């Protein structure tokens, strides 16, 4: 525990379950680094569990354990939102706020962390379309996925496939 003078805010009476997909992956291991920094700054009790080797059933068990411990909140980086839905809803029915990744409103989570993948993909498609439309003047080669082309109402152009990095 941090000394009181080192605390940004004292949350020592708060307990949060944090279930990551797998500690074997660098991105998720870095989440744990962030959780530990948060704990050092706040004295919040963050119970970190590992989803094993991307095992949804293990995550279900971890979240069920959080519910049994009556934690004050749950953060779940879901391996499979579909597999987690009932368990997360059970937590919320028990009055435990739930934050999830990925952004999936079908769970009805209290909050989401990460980013909205649809919006991110849509923005990526818009930027790709702008780039393709501006560069397809003979100096660039490229194309666009049909679904994005239909959504953004841009033409699909099939240009030769280059073999070099600058093609």
């Amino acid at each position: 525990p941090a000394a009181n003078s080192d605390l940004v805010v004292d949350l020592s009476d708060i307990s949060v379950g944090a279930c990551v997909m797998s500690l074997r992956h660098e991105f998720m291991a870095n989440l744990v680094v962030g959780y530990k920094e948060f704990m050092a700054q706040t004295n919040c009790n963050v119970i970190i569990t590992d989803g094993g080797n991307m095992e949804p059933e293990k995550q279900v068990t971890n979240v069920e354990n959080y519910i049994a411990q009556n934690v004050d909140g749950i953060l779940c980086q879901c391996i499979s939102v579909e597999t987690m839905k009932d368990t997360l809803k059970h937590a919320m029915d028990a009055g435990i706020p739930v934050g999830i990744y990925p952004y999936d409103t079908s769970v009805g989570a209290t909050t989401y962390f990460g980013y909205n993948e649809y919006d991110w993909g849509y923005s990526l498609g818009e930027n790709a379309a702008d780039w393709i439309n501006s560069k397809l003047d003979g100096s660039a080669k490229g194309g666009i996925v049909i679904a994005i082309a239909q959504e953004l109402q841009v033409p699909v152009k099939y240009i030769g496939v280059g073999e070099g990095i600058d093609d």
Side-chain angles (χ1 to χ4, degrees):
N4 284 342
S5 63
D6 296 334
L7 293 179
V8 174
V9 61
D10 186 7
L11 301 176
S12 56
D13 59 338
I14 302 291
S15 183
V16 176
C19 189
V20 298
M21 290 180 180
S22 173
L23 295 175
R24 297 177 187 185
H25 299 283
E26 182 180 358
F27 171 78
M28 293 159 233
N30 284 331
L31 284 176
V32 173
V33 171
Y35 290 143
K36 289 181 178 180
E37 289 173 5
F38 176 76
M39 291 166 49
Q41 294 173 359
T42 65
N43 276 346
C44 182
N45 180 29
V46 180
I47 306 162
I48 302 166
T49 56
D50 183 8
N53 191 24
M54 302 295 282
E55 302 165 54
E57 299 78 18
K58 185 166 184 175
Q59 272 198 322
V60 168
T61 300
N62 291 338
V63 172
E64 287 172 341
N65 289 338
Y66 295 152
I67 296 167
Q69 293 172 38
N70 198 30
V71 296
D72 297 296
I74 296 173
L75 297 172
C76 187
Q77 186 187 31
C78 300
I79 296 165
S80 166
V81 173
E82 192 59 38
T83 302
M84 295 301 300
K85 262 184 197 178
D86 290 341
T87 308
L88 294 171
K89 286 181 180 180
H90 177 69
M92 290 181 288
D93 289 345
I96 301 172
V98 171
I100 68 166
Y101 169 86
Y103 186 91
D104 184 328
T105 58
S106 68
V107 176
T110 310
T111 192
Y112 305 91
F113 59 99
Y115 56 90
N116 181 319
E117 291 168 350
Y118 175 84
D119 290 345
W120 183 83
Y122 189 89
S123 176
L124 178 64
E126 285 182 320
N127 286 299
D130 289 346
W131 183 85
I132 289 166
N133 288 330
S134 70
K135 295 291 184 177
L136 287 177
D137 59 2
S139 64
K141 299 176 183 173
I144 189 165
V145 177
I146 291 172
I148 295 173
Q150 289 172 339
E151 179 75 21
L152 298 176
Q153 299 177 356
V154 295
V156 176
K157 298 180 181 181
Y158 293 98
I159 310 297
V161 177
E163 295 180 8
I165 195 163
D166 294 326
D167 289 342

